[in-house]
Amino acid sequence: MAILIGMAGGMSFNLAIDFFAAAGPLTFGFLHAHLHSWTVVIGLVIILAAGLLVAGWLVDTKDYLAAN
């Protein structure tokens, strides 16, 4: 359950950044207007969420700080 909640949190944060960033609505609206489909937009959001998941996992596996 914790894994699902963590993944959902990462995806929702990524989606919020995509839709509220300055270029997000414009870019996604442009893609939808020219392709007449939300499939590419949702696919792009999924790819970005996966990238965020991988980046978070890589950061979590690094052991640079030592606990004293």
Side-chain angles (χ1 to χ4, degrees):
M1 189 67 145
I3 291 172
L4 291 176
I5 292 171
M7 289 174 60
M11 288 180 201
S12 64
F13 176 76
N14 192 33
L15 186 63
I17 293 299
D18 288 338
F19 285 132
F20 291 119
L26 182 64
T27 303
F28 289 162
F30 179 79
L31 285 172
H32 179 264
H34 288 288
L35 299 175
H36 304 291
S37 173
W38 286 107
T39 306
V40 174
V41 176
I42 298 300
L44 184 60
V45 169
I46 290 170
I47 290 169
L48 292 172
L52 183 65
L53 177 72
V54 170
W57 180 74
L58 290 174
V59 167
D60 187 49
T61 58
K62 299 296 181 190
D63 197 21
Y64 291 129
L65 299 175
N68 292 328

